[in-house]
Amino acid sequence: MANKLEIQRLTHTFSGQNPVHVLNDLSLNVAEGEFVTLLGPSGSGKSTIFNLIGGLFEPDGGSISIEGQSVNGKRGHISYLPQQDSLLPWRTILDNVVLVQEITGKVDKTAAREWLERAGLSGYESSYPDVLSGGMRQRVAFIRSLLSPQALMLLDEPFGALDELTRLDMQDWLLKIWEMDRRSVLFITHSIEEALYMSDRILILSDKPACVLKEIEVPFARPRHHDITLDATFNQLKHEIYQMLKVGNRDG
């Protein structure tokens, strides 16, 4: 299976009066149609990895390739969904969804309406974001990301600000919608359970300077249901990952 994203020996230090060595010889990949999660201690450099992939700044060393092309320091090659939905309050739901398409010059409002209907948001096209719940707003933001032309999606804790029940509902909803599209995804979460439930593979990061401590193949077939969280294998993996994170954080 071809890789959408290939990172080789990435190194980065934030300079200044007190330099911070954030990444050290980090390598990872995301295959076409694969859902990969980064799991690591707070402050281990997960968001820095996203910023480097997105071209917000260049790494000190190493290479980042998307679909075989080097993107070090280059923007516009990814679709990004942050923790906050970042919807523009003065634009309708439909206009928020097609915003990225407007930037690229290829607006398809028919497709946008179809995806909003699949997201359970039919009838809200002319409404404004302030009438939507947190979960509904995140659905709009995810559909906006899906409609961007980039083949790689970076999801940075998109459910972190939601209450637990809404979060569980959004996990199921996102997986259902993702199954229709199968975009390559690199996902950040602090939840071991969420990582196991959502992912094909999990990459355990050390504390900074971050490197990949362990790669875990998630053994559960798709589509998934939250009943698997009661499975003995699920809970054994959850315990093993917790122990790895404890060791990685202590050794860092």
Side-chain angles (χ1 to χ4, degrees), residues 197 224-231 234:
Y197 184 62
R224 294 176 185 165
H225 187 273
H226 273 101
D227 285 349
I228 68 168
T229 61
L230 305 176
D231 184 271
F234 187 98

Side-chain angles (χ1 to χ4, degrees), residues 230-246:
L230 305 176
D231 184 271
T233 301
F234 187 98
N235 283 287
Q236 180 182 345
L237 283 170
K238 184 176 176 181
H239 177 73
E240 289 175 2
I241 292 171
Y242 172 72
Q243 293 299 323
M244 289 179 212
L245 289 171
K246 277 183 65 178

Side-chain angles (χ1 to χ4, degrees), residues 2-19:
N3 287 332
K4 284 293 180 185
L5 172 68
E6 187 83 35
I7 292 177
Q8 293 289 338
R9 309 196 69 175
L10 204 63
T11 301
H12 194 73
T13 298
F14 288 111
S15 59
Q17 187 174 357
N18 297 301

Side-chain angles (χ1 to χ4, degrees), residues 123-176:
Y124 287 95
E125 295 89 347
S126 299
S127 301
Y128 290 87
D130 63 347
V131 306
L132 303 184
S133 67
M136 294 168 76
R137 290 171 66 102
Q138 280 300 86
R139 292 185 185 199
V140 174
F142 185 69
I143 295 302
R144 180 177 60 192
S145 298
L146 278 178
L147 288 172
S148 68
Q150 293 83 1
L152 175 67
M153 297 184 70
L154 305 185
L155 310 183
D156 190 354
E157 290 196 86
F159 312 139
L162 303 177
D163 65 79
E164 185 64 17
L165 288 177
T166 304
R167 182 185 184 114
L168 295 176
D169 179 64
M170 283 296 298
Q171 290 171 1
D172 286 335
W173 176 84
L174 188 147
L175 286 179
K176 180 181 177 181

Side-chain angles (χ1 to χ4, degrees), residues 84-99:
Q84 300 299 326
D85 57 71
S86 301
L87 300 182
L88 300 179
W90 59 87
R91 293 178 69 105
T92 65
I93 300 307
L94 182 62
D95 287 341
N96 264 287
V97 165
V98 300
L99 178 61

Side-chain angles (χ1 to χ4, degrees), residues 54-225:
L56 296 184
F57 41 83
E58 291 194 51
D60 296 333
S63 63
I64 306 168
S65 298
I66 296 177
E67 297 187 303
Q69 301 295 315
S70 174
V71 295
N72 283 34
K74 298 178 182 178
R75 303 186 185 189
H77 295 276
I78 61 158
S79 174
Y80 176 64
L81 181 61
Q83 183 171 336
Q84 300 299 326
D85 57 71
S86 301
L87 300 182
L88 300 179
W90 59 87
R91 293 178 69 105
T92 65
I93 300 307
L94 182 62
D95 287 341
N96 264 287
V97 165
V98 300
L99 178 61
V100 176
Q101 292 185 328
E102 289 179 9
I103 294 171
T104 60
K106 297 179 181 179
V107 176
D108 186 348
K109 289 194 173 183
T110 299
R113 291 179 185 276
E114 289 174 354
W115 276 106
L116 284 170
E117 184 175 357
R118 293 175 189 173
L121 293 166
S122 181
Y124 287 95
E125 295 89 347
S126 299
S127 301
Y128 290 87
D130 63 347
V131 306
L132 303 184
S133 67
M136 294 168 76
R137 290 171 66 102
Q138 280 300 86
R139 292 185 185 199
V140 174
F142 185 69
I143 295 302
R144 180 177 60 192
S145 298
L146 278 178
L147 288 172
S148 68
Q150 293 83 1
L152 175 67
M153 297 184 70
L154 305 185
L155 310 183
D156 190 354
E157 290 196 86
F159 312 139
L162 303 177
D163 65 79
E164 185 64 17
L165 288 177
T166 304
R167 182 185 184 114
L168 295 176
D169 179 64
M170 283 296 298
Q171 290 171 1
D172 286 335
W173 176 84
L174 188 147
L175 286 179
K176 180 181 177 181
I177 296 295
W178 175 75
E179 289 280 0
M180 299 178 187
D181 183 80
R182 280 285 179 165
R183 196 80 56 95
S184 299
V185 170
L186 187 60
F187 183 74
I188 288 176
T189 181
H190 282 99
S191 168
I192 299 172
E193 190 165 293
E194 183 169 77
L196 283 167
Y197 184 62
M198 305 285 287
S199 314
D200 296 311
R201 279 189 300 128
I202 299 171
L203 304 178
I204 308 296
L205 301 182
S206 70
D207 202 352
K208 62 179 177 291
C211 63
V212 177
L213 290 176
K214 181 80 172 179
E215 175 182 309
I216 296 172
E217 295 275 354
V218 179
F220 308 109
R222 297 186 186 276
R224 294 176 185 165
H225 187 273

